[in-house]
């Protein structure tokens, strides 16, 4: 590789030397890919074999001749070994559709439908059936849209392979490759399977997606190139050694397949549903026993049980939450982030740990020139770049990453004044590139670029004067993970002299540092997990302000990819993982293990990555995020897929997800409160409100039919409330909320406490209004004293329908503001509009009841409707005021950590304000100036003093970093 692609492949000798017995959950004696970033190899480290994932090759399949396999042999092997593709757990769409109707909540509705069928209540059965179908269909539709987006991304990758069969080269689908196939590996093409390189000139392969290495690796005869990597220079034949699940890629995928569990949000919904079901069954059982004990006909008692069961089912909960998350996913899509799993949005809101790959995620995965050092007085960066470019074919397209780096940075126009007489491309053995040229003055000279230590040994002209300082500088750079490209020149008849060297690095993305700072501001810790070398990882962390406490993988255990991780991983290694800033030289199993250990320690863990080696950890994490340009494996394993450069959208997604979480939590409080209101209302009326007994004393003459033993709202009124209120409450997805400055969590004890209190206050008001309504026909009643007159029994039904409907929607405005009054935060326009619409429709229905006497309900007078409105608003104020009092009580005793959480939020909010406000910006600038002074100005001042105290010997000069003035020499 011209310019020094000095990394080498996995030679058999290296593999034999580094071979270790397979380890399972026992600490490694060595990481297997250690090696110093010494000054010898261009400040790069050799790559050694991977002990635990060593490829087992059946040599009997590798004796393929020059003509390749025959079609017959290939067909037989395809039957034996299967396609060169990874097995994937694909759930058919019909199963996904059926799953929408088999969860805990749908099962509750099916039970209600079944009971309605037993008592032959066909209208209510039909209504419940329609609600069930709508609920399941909406959930399936939203989930399918997310899945289709991922399928479209996966379909964009259709790998092909150039294979030789029956003596003929042909392009085939890479899935049809078999062990023993002779394939062509050409520059720009992907490696279609694990392949052993044949005899021929070495090739360079980019393995960044597999190992995290920033530079290409040189592969020679006998080395095994891995499926999923890309050839960047050269061409050669290779024999397929493994396909499908037997490849490195496939073994990595086995870890992905091992992750299969119920999502966090589904667990929360199950807990909420279980709570409501438990309360419902308890109250229904008491009521049913009470009614049967009072000689109520069994079918009538069962009919009431159905009414109460329907009232307790949060029918719209799944739809509202799914719709809310779907709307959030569309907002993220506008910012170039595709959500593959909707419930990941809820989990993202609670993410408090973000583990990130380095290469291609935090960094550009592209080498960029940094500084230069020269040993020629008066030389600048442009001089060193020009000579480096002369040691390349500058009139032709760049052959590798370093030539691209140099030729893109230099002004090529002056180069045309030179005549290139001879060019020797990069030799992996000599580790340098040479070119002989004639300059405009007719002088002939040779320019060489390559590994610093190799070139220094050739520089007889000035090696003695610069050797100590040169080696010290290269070692210091290597310790920081910075690579160097040396440039030396020898004019005809003169010894070679070291002119200087260029440093280069895979730099962080422009927005990475700010993104990490913003993530930390929002309460999310960040750790780096990379397969690259420790020195490079430390330097990247230093630049990004992440800390430099980086450990190598040898402190972690190795695990069997085919078995579940032990449940003690978190206990054994969690504290160590928590206390470091990151890990380097890790394998895919290590990333998987680190994420799992953090999850076992209670962290809500996110993972960002782009390569095959990141895929298992992306799948294991609570939230997997694939960055732009990620491999197909990484995208398939992720929950969120970025389609634009940069990471800033991750923090934007955190903010958006926390807003969505607030809306869902507000809805859950509202929904539980409404359920408690209806359950408790029916429970109390069954036990204590008997219309034909004192003090109400309703008679058959007044009703025109037998007086019921209990007051029970007609089912039609409950269905209308459910459809109208739950249908319009979807607008809460557009409500105005304030995202939390710290990760969110479902504090269910607080949710249930507040919701139950709101529901009980509403029940108190409902029972009191029912008492006044049923007593209105008696002399001296409250209605008579207030001039309301008496009400018919049918109007009492309608009044209670209107009251429950209004109370339900007013409860939303109290539930949406925690620890404050409903007026403390304005509602969203959509929510307010929906509330106005629903309450107006309810009022119109109560004034003009359209369903006739069969429902036993009658229209209210205008005065009665106005009174009901006033009564509901008055009790809403009481409800909201008492909620604030309840919060103060809960905070005072720090129930379920509520006060601690609130204090942390307030502290974080003040810190964020200080970091983003004017004062915070001034502080940031002052810190930046201090950093510039320490890192740039002070070293230059020391250099000036040193140069003034020294003399220049034999035309050589001390090293001069970029930014130094030539007048300093």
């Amino acid at each position: 590789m011209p310019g020094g692609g000095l990394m080498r492949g996995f030679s058999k000798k290296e593999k034999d030397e580094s071979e270790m017995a397979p380890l399972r959950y026992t600490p490694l004696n060595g990481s297997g890919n250690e090696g110093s970033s010494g000054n010898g190899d261009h400040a790069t480290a050799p790559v050694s074999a991977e002990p635990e994932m060593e490829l087992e090759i059946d040599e009997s399949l590798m004796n393929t001749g020059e003509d390749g396999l025959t079609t017959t042999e290939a067909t037989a092997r395809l039957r034996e070994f299967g396609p060169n593709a990874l097995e994937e757990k694909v759930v058919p769409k019909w199963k996904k559709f059926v799953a929408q109707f088999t969860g805990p909540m749908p099962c509750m509705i099916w039970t209600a439908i079944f009971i309605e069928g037993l008592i032959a209540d066909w209208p209510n059965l039909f209504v419940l059936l329609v609600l069930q179908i709508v609920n399941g269909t909406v959930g399936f539709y939203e989930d399918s849209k997310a899945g289709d987006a991922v399928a479209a991304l996966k379909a964009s990758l259709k790998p092909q392979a150039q294979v030789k069969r029956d003596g003929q080269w042909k392009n085939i689908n890479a899935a049809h490759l078999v062990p023993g196939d002779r394939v062509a590996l050409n520059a720009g093409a992907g490696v279609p399977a694990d392949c052993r390189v044949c005899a021929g000139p070495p090739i360079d392969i980019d393995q960044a997606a597999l190992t995290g290495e920033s530079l290409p690796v040189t592969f020679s005869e006998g080395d095994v190139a891995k499926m999923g990597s890309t050839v960047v220079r050269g061409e050669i034949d290779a024999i397929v050694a493994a396909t499908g699940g037997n490849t490195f890629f496939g073994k990595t995928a086995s870890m992905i397949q091992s992750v299969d569990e119920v999502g966090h949000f589904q667990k929360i919904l199950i807990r909420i549903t279980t709570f409501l079901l438990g309360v419902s069954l308890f109250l229904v059982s008491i009521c049913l026993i009470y009614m049967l004990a009072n000689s109520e006909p069994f079918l009538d008692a069962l009919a009431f049980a159905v009414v109460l069961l329907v009232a307790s089912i949060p029918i719209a909960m799944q739809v509202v939450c799914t719709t809310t998350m779907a709307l959030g996913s569309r907002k993220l899509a506008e910012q170039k982030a595709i959500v593959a799993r909707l419930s990941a949005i809820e989990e993202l809101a609670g993410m408090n740990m973000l583990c990130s790959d380095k290469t291609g995620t935090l960094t550009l995965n592209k080498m960029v020139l940094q500084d230069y050092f020269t040993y020629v007085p008066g030389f600048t960066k442009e001089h060193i770049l020009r000579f480096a470019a002369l040691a390349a074919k500058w009139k032709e397209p760049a052959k590798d990453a370093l030539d691209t780096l140099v030729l893109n940075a230099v002004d090529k126009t002056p180069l045309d004044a030179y005549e290139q007489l001879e060019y020797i491309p990069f030799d992996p053995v000599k580790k340098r590139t040479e070119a002989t040229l004639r300059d405009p003055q007719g002088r002939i000279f040779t320019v060489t670029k390559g590994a610093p230590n190799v070139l220094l040994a050739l520089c007889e002209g000035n090696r003695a004067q610069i050797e100590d300082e040169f080696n010290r500088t290269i070692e210091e750079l290597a310790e920081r993970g910075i690579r160097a490209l040396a440039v030396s020149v020898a004019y005809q008849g003169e010894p070679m002299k070291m002119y200087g060297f260029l440093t280069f690095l895979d730099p962080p993305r422009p927005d990475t540092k700010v993104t990490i700072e913003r993530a930390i501001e929002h309460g999310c810790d960040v750790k780096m997990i990379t397969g690259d070398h420790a020195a490079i990882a430390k330097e990247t962390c230093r630049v990004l302000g992440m800390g430099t406490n980086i450990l190598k993988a040898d402190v972690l255990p190795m695990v069997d990819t085919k078995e579940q991780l032990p449940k003690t991983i978190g206990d054994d290694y969690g504290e160590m993982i928590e206390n470091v800033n990151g890990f380097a030289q890790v394998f895919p199993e290590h990333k998987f293990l680190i994420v799992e250990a953090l999850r076992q320690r209670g962290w809500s863990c996110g993972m960002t990555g782009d390569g095959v080696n990141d895929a298992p950890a992306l799948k294991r994490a609570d939230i997997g995020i694939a960055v732009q340009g990620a491999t197909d494996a990484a995208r398939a394993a992720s929950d969120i897929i970025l389609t634009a450069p940069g990471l800033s959208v991750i923090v934007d997604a955190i903010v958006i997800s926390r807003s969505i979480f607030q809306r869902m939590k507000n809805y859950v409080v509202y929904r539980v409160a409404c359920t408690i209101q209806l359950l408790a209302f029916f429970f109390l009326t069954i036990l204590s409100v008997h219309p034909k007994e004192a003090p109400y004393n309703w008679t058959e003459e007044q009703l025109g039919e037998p007086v019921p033993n209990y007051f029970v709202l007609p089912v039609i009124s409950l269905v209308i409330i459910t459809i109208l209120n739950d249908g319009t409450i979807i607008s809460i997805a557009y409500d105005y909320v304030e995202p939390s400055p710290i990760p969110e969590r479902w504090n269910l004890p607080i949710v249930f406490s507040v919701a139950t209190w709101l529901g009980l206050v509403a029940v108190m008001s409902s029972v009191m209004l029912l008492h006044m309504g049923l007593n209105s026909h008696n002399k001296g009643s409250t209605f008579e004293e207030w001039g309301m007159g008496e009400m018919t029994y049918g109007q009492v039904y309608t009044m209670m329908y209107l009251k429950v409907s209004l109370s339900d929607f007013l409860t939303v405005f109290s539930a949406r503001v925690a620890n404050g009054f409903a007026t403390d935060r304005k509602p969203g326009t959509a929510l307010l509009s929906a509330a106005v619409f629903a309450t107006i429709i309810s009022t119109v229905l109560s004034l003009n009841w359209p369903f006739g006497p069969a429902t036993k309900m009658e229209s209210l007078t205008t005065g009665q409707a106005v009174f009901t409105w006033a009564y509901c608003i008055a009790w809403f104020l009481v409800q909201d005021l008492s909620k604030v009092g309840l919060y103060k009580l809960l905070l005072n005793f720090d129930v379920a950590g509520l006060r601690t959480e609130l204090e942390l939020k307030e502290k974080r909010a003040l810190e964020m304000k200080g970091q983003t406000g004017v004062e915070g910006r001034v502080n940031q600038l002052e810190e930046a100036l201090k950093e510039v002074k320490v890192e740039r100005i002070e070293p230059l001042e020391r250099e000036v003093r040193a140069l003034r105290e020294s003399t220049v010997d034999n035309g050589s000069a001390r090293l001069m970093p970029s930014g130094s003035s030539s007048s300093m020499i």
Side-chain angles (χ1 to χ4, degrees), residues 521-760:
E521 287 172 10
H522 285 80
C524 184
D525 197 6
V526 183
K527 295 186 186 297
M528 177 192 291
I529 309 176
T530 178
D532 214 340
H533 300 286
I536 298 172
K538 287 182 180 180
E539 175 65 10
T540 305
C541 281
R542 185 192 68 81
V543 172
L544 295 175
M546 296 173 63
T548 56
N549 185 9
I550 304 296
L551 298 182
K552 295 181 182 178
D554 55 4
V555 300
L556 296 171
M558 192 59 65
V559 294
D560 188 339
T561 61
K562 297 179 181 179
E563 297 186 21
Q564 291 290 330
L565 287 177
K567 298 299 183 182
T568 58
I569 286 284
D571 294 334
D572 296 341
Y573 295 92
E575 185 176 357
M576 175 193 69
I577 294 171
E578 290 170 348
N579 293 330
V580 300
N581 303 121
F583 291 87
Q585 298 173 220
V586 298
F587 297 127
E589 302 96 320
H590 295 129
K591 295 187 178 186
F592 188 88
L593 181 147
I594 291 167
V595 169
E596 175 60 18
L598 289 169
R599 293 179 76 249
Q600 289 185 13
R601 296 277 289 185
W603 294 88
S604 180
C605 191
M607 175 75 194
T608 65
D610 67 331
V612 174
N613 59 334
D614 302 317
L618 288 169
K619 187 71 174 178
R620 175 70 279 178
D622 295 296
I623 311 98
I625 305 170
V627 300
Q628 186 207 29
T631 61
D632 189 52
R635 291 181 299 189
S638 297
D639 304 309
I640 298 175
I641 302 161
L642 308 185
T643 58
L647 300 175
S648 60
V649 69
I650 293 177
V651 181
D652 295 334
I654 290 174
V655 174
I656 291 173
S657 67
R658 290 181 185 176
S659 296
I660 294 168
F661 183 94
Q662 286 282 338
R663 296 182 183 114
M664 290 194 297
K665 186 175 73 172
N666 294 344
Y667 169 75
V668 168
V669 172
Y670 152 79
R671 183 64 264 179
V672 174
C674 291
T675 300
I676 294 295
Q677 177 186 187
L678 286 173
L679 283 171
F681 176 72
F682 278 113
F683 178 74
L684 292 174
T685 56
I686 288 293
L687 297 182
S688 61
V689 179
H690 305 140
K692 60 183 177 182
E693 298 178 2
Y696 310 118
N697 300 316
W698 284 86
T699 63
E700 188 172 338
E701 289 76 15
Q702 290 173 307
L703 268 66
E705 59 182 32
V707 180
N709 294 324
Y710 316 99
F711 182 88
V712 180
L713 278 176
V715 175
I716 184 66
S717 64
L718 294 178
V719 172
I720 292 173
I721 290 172
T722 299
I723 294 175
L724 194 59
N725 287 14
D726 281 355
T728 53
I729 200 62
I730 292 177
S731 61
I732 203 169
Y734 299 94
D735 190 21
Y736 174 75
V737 295
E738 295 177 359
S740 169
I742 64 173
E744 291 280 15
R745 69 186 180 99
W746 284 100
N747 196 337
L748 290 183
I750 299 299
V751 168
F752 291 145
S753 298
V754 174
T756 300
W757 180 257
L758 292 174
L760 291 177

Side-chain angles (χ1 to χ4, degrees), residues 808-950:
D808 269 10
F809 232 108
L810 289 174
T811 299
V812 173
F813 295 101
S814 183
R816 62 182 291 275
V817 182
N819 191 32
F821 295 102
T823 55
D824 287 355
R825 187 173 71 239
K826 66 178 182 179
T829 303
L831 179 62
L832 188 60
S833 300
V836 171
F837 172 79
T839 52
I840 287 177
I841 294 297
S842 294
T843 305
V844 170
L845 287 175
S846 66
L847 290 171
N848 303 276
W849 189 251
F851 301 109
T855 61
K856 303 181 181 180
M857 297 176 67
E858 300 176 19
S859 300
L860 297 178
T861 65
T862 303
Q864 290 168 341
V866 170
F867 171 78
T868 305
W869 262 93
Y871 183 85
C872 289
I873 291 174
W875 270 97
F876 165 70
L877 298 177
V878 173
Q879 182 188 50
D880 197 48
L881 181 63
S882 65
K883 177 205 68 178
V884 175
L886 175 65
Y887 263 107
K888 289 188 181 298
L889 187 66
L890 295 173
L891 286 168
N892 185 56
F893 291 98
D894 198 20
V895 177
L898 182 62
R899 186 181 66 226
T900 304
E901 183 178 343
L902 183 62
E903 289 173 350
L904 183 58
K905 285 184 179 181
E906 292 174 347
K907 179 182 178 182
R908 178 66 66 183
L910 289 174
E911 289 175 352
M912 291 174 65
K913 184 177 180 181
Q915 290 168 349
T916 57
V918 175
E919 183 178 342
R921 183 58 182 156
V922 171
N923 292 336
Q924 288 178 352
L925 290 174
E926 289 177 349
E927 290 298 321
L929 287 173
K930 289 179 184 177
E931 185 176 334
V932 169
K933 183 176 180 181
V934 170
E935 293 191 0
R936 305 289 292 179
I937 299 177
E938 290 182 359
L940 290 176
E941 289 174 347
R942 290 196 297 270
E943 186 72 17
V944 169
R945 287 195 298 269
L947 288 171
R948 284 173 176 169
E949 294 170 359
S950 63

